[in-house]
Amino acid sequence: MAQFPGMDISWLAGHARSEFHHSADPIDIDHDIDPSVPSSRHRRTLPELCRSVTPPCWLHPLLFNGHLQTCWTVLDKAKVPIFYKRRVFEAEDSAYAGSFAVDFVVDEFDGHDATLPPRTAHFVENDRDGGLDGPDPSCDARPMLVALHGLSGGSHELYLRLVLAPLIGKHGGWEACVVNARGCARSQVTSKVLFNARATWDVRQVVKWLRRRYPNRPLFAVGFSLGANILVNYLGEEGSDCILTAAAVCSNPWNLEISAAGLMRSTFGREVYSRVMAASLKELIYIEIQCPTWGYPTVGAYYRDASSIDSLLAVRIPLFAINARDDPLAANEALPIDEFRQNPYTVLCTTSAGGHLAWFESGGGRWFVKPMTAFLDEMANLAEWRRVKRVAAAAAAAAAADVERNHGSRPSAKAEVAHFDPMRRKMCIDDGSGAVRASSFWDAIQVY
């Protein structure tokens, strides 16, 4: 494209600048150019891998700002026929009593259950669709993807199906499931325990179930918008014990308080986005019911405790995040740039344009699908994913050695060594005995 001296006008043609934010000392991942040739293996850093799978971002020139891009998502009627079989789980932990629905991607089938979203039917006993009752699931080593949708969404959401479509089927070779938030995607609410931005308990149960059911499958996860926030909170809570191989998140609001304040600063945000979200999921659920249910005295307290910005520091698996700087729902000011620079396991790609879960291209596709699916494919099929686990162990050993060098010996549990614990969360569960426990289940998480 023609350039004027000292002026970049490529944005007129829809070009969005991409930037990568990461640690100066990131983790390494072994990579096979040709898996059949042992000598083709070489090592590269996580940021190098993320850059290699991220194409230039060229968006529709008429959708030239975040509002237009985001609003166009309502009008996008692309046909992406993903079929699901639904399995209803009962919460294993009594603190989170109730049921939740998980939709497993299956081959196309005839018929439709009018009580469920399109192309979805209930799983029934002896139904072999969906890989739930295969002849020998322990021998199945196909990569498995766990997806988390955005606010008031579900497995039917188009942005989610666009990511699943290239991965599943005969050519993709993936299996996938979507964890529907309680009460979403026409799932029944069976207890007062709903979901919020800290609701990691259901995805944790599903991941453990998948590991038991398919011990040879490498497990991955993707999250969108509020689901991205939940996923990063889950990754932080699991830390080095996380059994996922890698994860990708898109349009995460990160700091909920800042993003909410940014949304309400503009007339467009107050009059359009807030009204739409309130109509989709009665906002009173969060303000008048959810906060007291979980012990939050104010909405601000909930926002601060549920934000995933601190959880990012505790992530110990490869995480690739994508955000648009003009996202009207996930504010640019909320992007945890410094936190990404501190954590060697994480990479953030920001684009100068793209909106919220949008990134519409001139041809009708959505740009974010390309880097997300390419990253997952790379980690599952080309990268030596077990290498990641060894890197995690080596990093932990190195950190312990640093402590020993700096303090002469490893400090005891009572030693007064100043440190920041990103997972020292405030929400806890009272079991009625007078004792409280952290909601993340892990003893390492301290409770006030």
Side-chain angles (χ1 to χ4, degrees):
M1 181 175 182
Q3 296 287 321
F4 292 94
M7 182 182 300
D8 180 7
I9 60 172
S10 60
W11 61 272
L12 291 173
H15 181 251
R17 298 184 307 278
S18 299
E19 298 178 280
F20 292 83
H21 313 273
H22 52 81
S23 168
D25 187 23
I27 62 169
D28 294 325
I29 298 177
D30 284 346
H31 174 72
D32 288 329
I33 298 176
D34 183 352
S36 64
V37 180
S39 60
S40 70
R41 176 170 296 184
H42 74 283
R43 184 172 298 171
R44 58 179 170 172
T45 66
L46 179 62
E48 289 172 342
L49 187 152
C50 293
R51 286 178 183 273
S52 71
V53 300
T54 304
C57 186
W58 289 90
L59 307 178
H60 199 298
L62 297 182
L63 304 177
F64 52 81
N65 64 36
H67 294 302
L68 291 172
Q69 282 277 344
T70 302
C71 290
W72 197 256
T73 61
V74 180
L75 303 175
D76 186 18
K77 304 299 181 183
K79 294 183 179 180
V80 185
I82 303 293
F83 290 78
Y84 299 101
K85 285 293 181 71
R86 174 166 294 185
R87 186 184 186 96
V88 177
F89 287 79
E90 290 294 330
E92 294 176 343
D93 193 293
S94 59
Y96 310 106
S99 61
F100 59 96
V102 180
D103 293 340
F104 290 80
V105 176
V106 298
D107 294 334
E108 182 177 352
F109 58 84
D110 295 326
H112 170 62
D113 189 330
T115 65
L116 299 179
R119 299 175 302 279
T120 306
H122 282 289
F123 168 79
V124 295
E125 292 300 325
N126 299 321
D127 185 349
R128 291 177 179 267
D129 283 346
L132 294 175
D133 285 279
D136 188 3
S138 64
C139 294
D140 182 353
R142 289 172 291 181
M144 179 84 194
L145 184 65
V146 180
L148 303 182
H149 59 79
L151 178 67
S152 75
S155 59
H156 59 281
E157 292 290 352
L158 180 56
Y159 58 77
L160 189 151
R161 288 183 283 130
L162 285 168
V163 170
L164 296 184
L167 298 174
I168 63 174
K170 297 180 180 179
H171 300 293
W174 285 67
E175 297 289 341
C177 67
V178 182
V179 181
N180 294 298
R182 300 187 184 194
C184 292
R186 299 186 182 181
S187 62
Q188 295 184 353
V189 176
T190 58
S191 77
K192 68 178 182 178
V193 182
L194 301 178
F195 77 97
N196 61 33
R198 282 269 333 263
T200 58
W201 35 87
D202 290 345
V203 64
R204 176 175 292 105
Q205 181 173 331
V206 170
V207 170
K208 289 182 176 180
W209 184 89
L210 289 171
R211 171 51 67 234
R212 293 194 301 268
R213 183 71 182 173
Y214 304 105
N216 293 331
R217 283 186 181 179
L219 303 178
F220 299 81
V222 291
F224 304 89
S225 191
L226 190 71
N229 188 85
I230 294 172
L231 178 55
V232 174
N233 275 331
Y234 165 75
L235 298 179
E237 290 174 359
E238 297 295 297
S240 298
D241 293 321
C242 186
I243 58 179
L244 296 176
T245 296
V249 293
C250 183
S251 295
N252 188 348
W254 297 106
N255 188 318
L256 302 181
E257 193 168 32
I258 291 179
S259 289
L263 180 66
M264 300 307 293
R265 271 200 300 268
S266 69
T267 302
F268 200 83
R270 291 191 302 271
E271 299 301 323
V272 178
Y273 297 122
S274 293
R275 290 179 183 271
V276 170
M277 287 188 293
S280 299
L281 178 69
K282 303 295 186 180
E283 197 171 25
L284 292 177
I285 290 179
Y286 273 86
I287 297 176
E288 297 183 1
I289 299 177
Q290 269 303 67
C291 290
T293 296
W294 294 111
Y296 295 115
T298 66
V299 176
Y302 159 65
Y303 283 157
R304 291 188 294 275
D305 191 48
S307 294
S308 59
I309 188 169
D310 286 342
S311 300
L312 178 64
L313 294 168
V315 172
R316 292 298 179 268
I317 66 168
L319 172 66
F320 185 30
I322 301 174
N323 279 84
R325 288 191 176 273
D326 67 351
D327 188 329
L329 303 181
N332 182 49
E333 307 94 300
L335 295 177
I337 303 296
D338 290 339
E339 284 73 14
F340 272 96
R341 290 172 178 167
Q342 288 292 321
N343 190 337
Y345 292 85
T346 65
V347 174
L348 169 65
C349 173
T350 59
T351 58
S352 58
H356 189 76
L357 296 175
W359 286 279
F360 285 98
E361 301 171 306
S362 295
R366 298 204 203 181
W367 173 84
F368 74 88
V369 174
K370 298 174 183 176
M372 288 191 77
T373 55
F375 171 76
L376 293 169
D377 260 336
E378 194 87 354
M379 291 299 302
N381 300 322
L382 299 178
E384 177 58 55
W385 62 274
R386 293 181 180 83
R387 164 70 183 165
V388 173
K389 301 299 182 184
R390 294 197 295 271
V391 169
D402 286 341
V403 171
E404 189 168 351
R405 283 194 301 270
N406 294 333
H407 299 280
S409 61
R410 295 187 181 183
S412 65
K414 297 182 179 180
E416 296 183 0
V417 178
H419 72 285
F420 175 73
D421 182 357
M423 300 313 299
R424 186 174 175 124
R425 313 307 284 269
K426 297 179 178 63
M427 190 177 79
C428 54
I429 303 300
D430 187 342
D431 62 7
S433 66
V436 294
R437 62 186 176 89
S439 62
S440 66
F441 298 113
W442 299 102
D443 294 336
I445 300 177
Q446 304 175 54
V447 180
Y448 286 121

